[in-house]
Amino acid sequence: MLALGVAAQAAGTLVVTAPALLIPHLHAQGTTLAQAGLLAAAPTAGMVLTLIAWGAVTDRTGERVVIAGGLVLTTLAVAGAWAVGDDPVLLGVAFLLAGMTNASTNAASGRVVVGWFPKERRGLAMGIRQMSQPLGVTLAAVTVPQLAEGDGVRAALVLPVVLCAVLAVLCAVGIVDPPRPVRAAARAGEAADPVPTANPYRSTGFLWRIHAVSVLLVVPQFTLSTYGLVWLVGLGWSTPAAGLLVGAAQFVGAVGRILVGVWSDRVGSRVGPLRIVALSAAVVMAVLALVDVTHLPAAAVVLVIATSVTVADNGLAYTSVAEAAGPTWSGRALGAQNTGQFIAASAVGPGIGALVGLVGFAGSFLLVAALPVLALPLVPRADRSHD
């Protein structure tokens, strides 16, 4: 279940990330940075529209149908993007649809992992599950820019189509929905229902606070995944070399998510490590601004470190939300979690693109560094769990 969850989400991330890595190719053809950023935001905007709905379907029907069915629809949407080629308007529509269908893997693949692992191993399991995003970005970074530069947009989209199609079949065959405690209790004829069914958003502000923290922390993450390549090219790197470095940075970040998950298991807390990660994200973004201003030769090292730190919060927040919501609400809660993050992520493409045009990369990185600082007082002091 863990391997299929990681693979499904990695394929979805490849689809969502591809437009951002097409920016140098499109920009060279005369598209403005802000316009290219708008195309890059199309998949995340599509995900925003459907994440909660996919979560509700998952709560009702289970994970297997949602993941496999969503991947089939994503395959069709990306095939449509391949068919329209370099037309930016039709590409935007196709990637919007791809985001809407790909949201299924976000809503369900994390939940299938939470359902199969006990609490004391869940930080590690979800850390591995959260590797999927940086692994997907890594795969995109080492394939999309090079293929687009050499053979155009269509060549860059062949791998996403094939990968989503293959994984749709594998997930349909291999995924088994985790046990549903409520239904098991009902079948056993027990009088007491051990699983809370009340709306967790009404009893406490815990979930709202985690959602808000994640919205603020996702901006540095998507700033680097969207414009890290462009920043390096502006510093004199070739597009293939910059793509390889961005991919390497995302891979290091994927390993970091596992280590952070293990850390949270060891200390028995998700919110404590989350607070430290938020502070670290502010520091590394400020250091990136310094590197841009001073032209220090350590740009590659700092970018790798910054990428690793800014992706480290996802697994902690995701696990925290699933544990606090409980099994009967986790699909909708994780859908809401991702919706907030992708609303912010959708604004990163055009927003940071326009901001770079006004104040440059150094000023943009410094302003982004302020957001994790704002997140610090919102991190709850203690965890909540229905386990």
Side-chain angles (χ1 to χ4, degrees):
M1 301 309 107
L2 183 57
L4 288 171
V6 170
Q9 183 58 42
T13 302
L14 170 60
V15 171
V16 171
T17 307
L21 296 171
L22 292 172
I23 289 178
H25 172 76
L26 296 172
H27 192 45
Q29 293 185 327
T31 305
T32 67
L33 199 58
Q35 290 171 333
L38 191 61
L39 175 63
T44 52
M47 294 179 77
V48 166
L49 298 175
T50 58
L51 273 165
I52 295 178
W54 279 118
V57 173
T58 305
D59 285 336
R60 181 175 294 273
T61 65
E63 292 78 5
R64 175 175 171 269
V65 171
V66 170
I67 295 174
L71 283 171
V72 169
L73 296 176
T74 301
T75 301
L76 296 175
V78 182
W82 179 90
V84 301
D86 291 331
D87 187 312
V89 176
L90 294 180
L91 268 178
V93 173
F95 277 119
L96 179 72
L97 293 174
M100 293 174 68
T101 57
N102 175 60
S104 62
T105 61
N106 283 70
S109 62
R111 176 179 158 133
V112 77
V113 172
V114 170
W116 281 112
F117 284 83
K119 183 178 181 181
E120 62 272 13
R121 295 176 59 200
R122 204 172 285 155
L124 169 60
M126 191 57 75
I128 295 173
R129 155 61 179 78
Q130 288 293 335
M131 283 181 67
S132 56
Q133 186 173 33
L135 285 177
V137 175
T138 297
L139 184 58
V142 300
T143 60
V144 172
Q146 292 85 342
L147 291 172
E149 187 176 41
D151 300 302
V153 171
R154 283 183 173 174
L157 297 180
V158 172
L159 179 60
V161 171
V162 173
L163 195 58
C164 287
V166 170
L167 282 168
V169 176
L170 292 178
C171 289
V173 173
I175 285 182
V176 177
D177 292 339
R180 299 294 179 98
V182 172
R183 296 177 185 175
R187 285 195 299 268
E190 296 176 9
D193 185 354
V195 179
T197 59
N199 187 337
Y201 288 96
R202 295 178 180 175
S203 59
T204 174
F206 181 90
L207 288 173
W208 293 110
R209 294 178 69 172
I210 294 293
H211 292 337
V213 168
S214 296
V215 165
L216 293 170
L217 294 183
V218 82
V219 175
Q221 175 187 332
F222 272 79
T223 296
L224 296 184
S225 65
T226 303
Y227 287 105
L229 180 74
V230 181
W231 181 61
L232 289 171
V233 170
L235 293 178
W237 289 60
S238 68
T239 298
L244 289 173
L245 180 65
V246 170
Q250 291 291 333
F251 182 79
V252 173
V255 175
R257 286 185 172 184
I258 296 178
L259 298 178
V260 170
V262 173
W263 174 26
S264 72
D265 283 339
R266 292 279 180 86
V267 300
S269 173
R270 316 299 178 198
V271 296
L274 182 59
R275 187 175 294 106
I276 295 173
V277 168
L279 179 60
S280 302
V283 172
V284 294
M285 292 305 300
V287 172
L288 269 179
L290 179 63
V291 169
D292 187 74
V293 169
T294 59
H295 300 287
L296 292 173
V301 175
V302 175
L303 182 64
V304 170
I305 294 173
T307 300
S308 301
V309 170
T310 55
V311 303
D313 64 282
N314 284 61
L316 296 171
Y318 211 79
T319 309
S320 186
V321 167
E323 290 177 341
T328 59
W329 270 85
S330 61
R332 282 161 286 186
L334 291 173
Q337 166 77 2
N338 283 311
T339 296
Q341 286 189 299
F342 281 111
I343 287 174
S346 298
V348 166
I352 298 299
L355 192 61
V356 169
L358 292 174
V359 299
F361 275 108
S364 300
F365 289 156
L366 199 58
L367 289 171
V368 169
L371 299 181
V373 175
L374 295 176
L376 282 171
L378 296 175
V379 179
R381 293 185 178 277
D383 296 272
R384 288 182 61 87
S385 177
H386 285 309
D387 292 339

